[in-house]
Amino acid sequence: MFIFVTPVCFSQSKFNQFLTPSDTLNNSRKTKVYLTESVVLGGTLIGLNQLWYKDYPKSSFHFINDNKEWLQMDKIGHMYSSYHLGRVGAEMLTWSGASKKEQLIYGATLGLGFLTVVEVFDGFSQEWGASTGDMVANVSGTALYVSQEVLWKEQRIIPKFSFHQTQYASLRPKTLGNGFQEEILKDYNGQTYWLSFNIKSFIKNKSIPKWLNLAVGYGAEGMLYGTNQEAFKNNYIQYSSRQFYLSLDVDLTKIETKSHFLKTFFSVFNTIKIPAPTLQIAGFDGFKAHLVYF
């Protein structure tokens, strides 16, 4: 047991040391951060171009107005993605010991930069087009992160995501996804986006746990097509509706631990809303109470 446990503990110790943010600027780490981001995001864009765009004809750069589609679920998804990509970029620079100014300028804008390139791809595709609504959502996600760091020096309001499978994907699997892995990205009917507010950050009360959050959610249902008009053109009558939610949540980053491995783990999964009792305001059905909603 001693022979087995000693290397494991040593390995965990070294790993924890590796994840510990640097107190001062570590140029080697900062270089690794920029190289890693360049390789990962560059590879993602190349893969996206090969798998998604290359089979569709090109066109001159153009814009489209898709702001009325999918009850704006896709726009909220852009805001969510921009926020968390920027948060990861800032936290990676924190790990390297970079200054707060660098974290906000070069880290927090990571999501905005990446998603802007994706919009350029859309703009040159005859099938789609660059969306001003998407760009506004991308800027909003970055602004949400940066403004909280400037104003409070902490993230009190965190965008989160939850998903459940619905009956709609099987009715139009090419658009809404075939199987869980595709549906989680494509089926807007099963997606819920949340703004999770840390209660203790706003109400300075010692009796409130640091990790307890109150979450306000938004979702939509009844959508096979982007708009009811598009559905009608395809001989389908859809009754799409918005849903609003109120629920409890957990800010995993507020759970105290000395382990930098756990801190990293909590940071990654703090993008997901914790299942909890939820009050729903549904479009056609009034109020609903869920013992657990996800």
Side-chain angles (χ1 to χ4, degrees):
M1 181 177 289
F2 176 78
I3 293 172
F4 173 75
V5 170
T6 301
V8 172
C9 292
F10 178 76
S11 176
Q12 288 181 343
S13 176
K14 294 290 285 185
F15 189 57
N16 196 59
Q17 183 180 352
F18 170 77
L19 291 175
T20 303
S22 177
D23 294 330
T24 57
L25 178 62
N26 185 319
N27 284 311
S28 175
R29 282 190 175 189
K30 189 166 77 167
T31 301
K32 290 175 182 177
V33 168
Y34 286 134
L35 284 175
T36 301
E37 290 176 353
S38 299
V39 170
V40 172
L41 296 182
T44 301
L45 289 171
I46 292 172
L48 188 64
N49 184 63
Q50 291 298 310
L51 295 173
W52 192 268
Y53 293 101
K54 78 168 188 175
D55 294 329
Y56 295 95
K58 304 294 184 193
S59 70
S60 58
F61 187 82
H62 63 287
F63 284 92
I64 60 170
N65 184 354
D66 60 350
N67 295 331
K68 294 183 179 180
E69 295 184 3
W70 304 108
L71 294 180
Q72 296 77 50
M73 287 294 292
D74 56 325
K75 302 296 178 279
I76 299 175
H78 274 263
M79 185 275 289
Y80 169 88
S81 300
S82 179
Y83 174 93
H84 282 293
L85 282 172
R87 179 183 63 82
V88 169
E91 289 181 357
M92 289 177 70
L93 283 176
T94 301
W95 173 75
S96 74
S99 67
K100 178 61 80 172
K101 183 178 180 180
E102 283 185 283
Q103 293 171 33
L104 296 181
I105 294 176
Y106 303 112
T109 56
L110 180 67
L112 178 59
F114 175 77
L115 292 171
T116 298
V117 176
V118 173
E119 284 302 316
V120 172
F121 282 1
D122 282 347
F124 282 108
S125 174
Q126 187 174 308
E127 186 75 10
W128 296 281
S131 167
T132 53
D134 288 353
M135 286 303 303
V136 170
N138 297 338
V139 172
S140 298
T142 300
L144 179 61
Y145 181 87
V146 172
S147 61
Q148 291 188 80
E149 287 297 316
V150 172
L151 184 61
W152 298 317
K153 296 181 172 56
E154 64 175 345
Q155 295 298 300
R156 297 183 180 183
I157 307 169
I158 302 172
K160 293 197 175 187
F161 174 82
S162 64
F163 177 78
H164 61 272
Q165 288 184 289
T166 73
Q167 60 181 324
Y168 301 100
S170 62
L171 300 176
R172 201 179 177 211
K174 187 174 180 181
T175 298
L176 301 180
N178 185 9
F180 183 82
Q181 290 182 330
E182 289 188 6
E183 291 169 28
I184 198 172
L185 296 174
K186 293 183 175 183
D187 186 6
Y188 294 119
N189 299 283
Q191 297 176 0
T192 305
Y193 289 98
W194 305 80
L195 285 178
S196 187
F197 296 78
N198 185 252
I199 300 174
K200 191 162 187 174
S201 295
F202 291 100
I203 304 173
K204 305 298 183 180
N205 189 316
K206 292 182 179 180
S207 63
I208 300 175
K210 291 181 179 179
W211 44 263
L212 183 61
N213 279 24
L214 183 67
V216 179
Y218 173 72
E221 196 174 45
M223 302 177 294
L224 282 187
Y225 294 87
T227 64
N228 293 344
Q229 291 78 9
E230 182 186 357
F232 185 75
K233 289 179 182 178
N234 287 275
N235 301 314
Y236 180 82
I237 298 176
Q238 71 178 23
Y239 298 97
S240 56
S241 63
R242 306 176 192 271
Q243 279 102 36
F244 300 91
Y245 304 89
L246 186 66
S247 181
L248 296 175
D249 188 32
V250 174
D251 185 344
L252 297 175
T253 64
K254 293 290 195 297
I255 297 176
E256 294 185 3
T257 176
K258 293 182 179 179
S259 169
H260 287 282
F261 169 77
L262 286 178
K263 288 181 180 180
T264 303
F265 178 86
F266 289 153
S267 177
V268 170
F269 285 95
N270 209 41
T271 57
I272 300 173
K273 165 73 170 63
I274 301 298
T278 300
L279 180 65
Q280 175 186 353
I281 306 173
F284 299 116
D285 302 320
F287 289 90
K288 285 183 180 180
H290 301 271
L291 183 59
V292 176
Y293 178 85
F294 193 70

